[in-house]
Amino acid sequence: MTLNELYISSVSKLEKIDNSSTEARIILKKAMSFTETDFLLNKNRILTDEEVTAAESMINRRLSGVPVQYIIGEWDFFGKTFKVNENVLIPRPETELLCEYVIDYLKDKSSPVVADLCAGSGCIGITVKDNIASACVYMVEKSSEAYKVCCENAESILGDKSTTVINGDIFCIDKLGDLPLFDVIISNPPYIKSAEIPDLQSEVLLEPEMALDGGEDGLDFYRLIAEKWTDYLADDGMFAFECGEEQAEEIKVILEKKNFSVIFVKDYSDVDRFVIGKRRKI
Ligand code: GLN
């Protein structure tokens, strides 16, 4: 069987999936360790039985509903490739907009201190450090499995540019060690209402529940972060949150009670997806 024949049969196997041709290509490239150019130049190559078996088993996993990101074990975010597995939320394109906003805000500040709470794969904190070399970045992640992924990503993407990755609960701040005052505290916390979790798309359900479940009204993390982390913000500090559709107004109320002034930033679909809170000047 040639690569092209396997590609055609894979696309037709995946026909029920949106973007079946893109996903078949991503999977075959990974199975063969091919770059895009290798893929194009090797279309007529006869594959070995091992290559066909390896690729078909990956295609079958996709067919059974496993997200392509977990099958290939990596995903691109803000121009860098992050390791991902079932223990971390898959980095989403809209989260790149949150990073872009914060990077733009920080670009003229000298040595800013930044926290990424509920860091997961580390995509936010690592991207900030990668783009603002003078930043001092702390990432906090409760799951030890996700923490491992975050550490691996920090090492593979940032090399010797160091960050502080803490395996701990953001609500037990006294157990997190010495913390500085932060110029920006960023978080894309779990924000799905508990009762809505069972109705999520089956693929999303394969992501860690801990990364999704935001409590009864989905807002537990915003409330608790505003409650417990405000003391760790510098006087002119800023919270930068990602949230679910229709949550921005409620988060605004939470932050205004803590004396923050709030603006919303929209995502690619024109939804108020990011909530930015700055302390009101007294
Ligand atoms: N910060 C990570 C991300 O944005 C993980 C978020 C989470 O686990 N809720 O992808």
Side-chain angles (χ1 to χ4, degrees):
M1 187 189 272
T2 66
L3 176 59
N4 202 38
E5 284 162 353
L6 179 63
Y7 177 55
I8 290 166
S9 79
S10 303
V11 174
S12 90
K13 262 191 175 174
L14 296 180
E15 67 180 354
K16 290 210 177 67
I17 288 169
D18 291 342
N19 306 321
S20 55
S21 52
T22 311
E23 295 212 358
R25 195 178 184 101
I26 292 172
I27 290 171
L28 296 195
K29 273 162 54 182
K30 184 70 188 178
M32 312 290 156
S33 305
F34 275 174
T35 62
E36 184 65 25
T37 315
D38 296 333
F39 187 82
L40 294 170
L41 294 178
N42 284 279
K43 281 207 159 162
N44 296 321
R45 203 187 88 191
I46 310 280
L47 302 172
T48 64
D49 289 349
E50 289 76 33
E51 284 173 327
V52 174
T53 314
E56 282 183 342
S57 97
M58 288 166 85
I59 294 287
N60 289 339
R61 283 187 74 204
R62 183 68 195 97
L63 205 55
S64 74
V66 180
V68 67
Q69 294 88 342
Y70 290 155
I71 296 171
I72 64 169
E74 61 189 28
W75 201 239
D76 286 357
F77 181 87
F78 220 93
K80 294 288 160 82
T81 303
F82 285 74
K83 171 181 170 157
V84 295
N85 61 26
E86 282 82 350
N87 300 303
V88 298
L89 194 81
I90 296 164
R92 305 293 204 268
E94 56 268 29
T95 306
E96 293 178 328
L97 293 174
L98 178 64
C99 294
E100 200 175 284
Y101 185 90
V102 171
I103 290 165
D104 191 56
Y105 172 80
L106 293 175
K107 67 179 188 304
D108 302 320
K109 302 217 180 316
S110 72
S111 310
V113 186
V114 178
D116 172 9
L117 307 182
C118 310
S121 63
C123 60
I124 298 175
I126 292 169
T127 298
V128 170
K129 177 67 186 173
D130 197 29
N131 287 274
I132 307 277
S134 71
C136 175
V137 174
Y138 285 68
M139 289 177 271
V140 186
E141 173 50 51
K142 185 174 174 186
S143 140
S144 17
E145 296 306 319
Y147 163 81
K148 275 188 219 152
V149 175
C150 186
C151 292
E152 282 180 49
N153 281 326
E155 197 178 320
S156 69
I157 292 166
L158 298 172
D160 54 8
K161 290 192 245 165
S162 82
T163 54
T164 304
V165 190
I166 302 169
N167 185 196
D169 185 339
I170 61 167
F171 302 129
C172 304
I173 303 190
D174 49 335
K175 298 214 181 90
L176 299 181
D178 284 340
L179 294 174
L181 278 184
F182 294 98
D183 296 299
V184 182
I185 294 179
I186 319 169
S187 188
N188 176 24
Y191 57 66
I192 315 277
K193 292 181 187 166
S194 306
E196 289 178 0
I197 302 262
D199 304 330
L200 293 172
Q201 267 181 316
S202 57
E203 284 179 20
V204 179
L205 283 173
L206 292 175
E207 297 190 77
E209 186 167 343
M210 192 176 152
L212 300 170
D213 190 345
E216 196 177 336
D217 64 356
L219 301 172
D220 280 3
F221 284 78
Y222 305 100
R223 255 189 307 269
L224 281 158
I225 292 173
E227 195 54 48
K228 300 208 177 234
W229 285 81
T230 297
D231 289 347
Y232 289 83
L233 263 190
D235 285 345
D236 58 351
M238 175 173 101
F239 281 123
F241 294 138
E242 181 166 336
C243 65
E245 259 176 67
E246 293 171 15
Q247 288 181 327
E249 283 294 343
E250 290 166 292
I251 297 167
K252 181 177 177 186
V253 173
I254 294 170
L255 286 175
E256 282 180 345
K257 280 195 195 135
K258 293 297 247 176
N259 219 17
F260 282 81
S261 54
V262 171
I263 59 161
F264 300 150
V265 179
K266 292 187 184 299
D267 67 10
Y268 300 108
S269 318
D270 221 27
V271 167
D272 287 325
R273 174 72 62 187
F274 310 104
V275 178
I276 308 297
K278 289 190 195 159
R279 285 182 195 277
R280 279 213 186 92
K281 302 257 181 312
I282 304 159

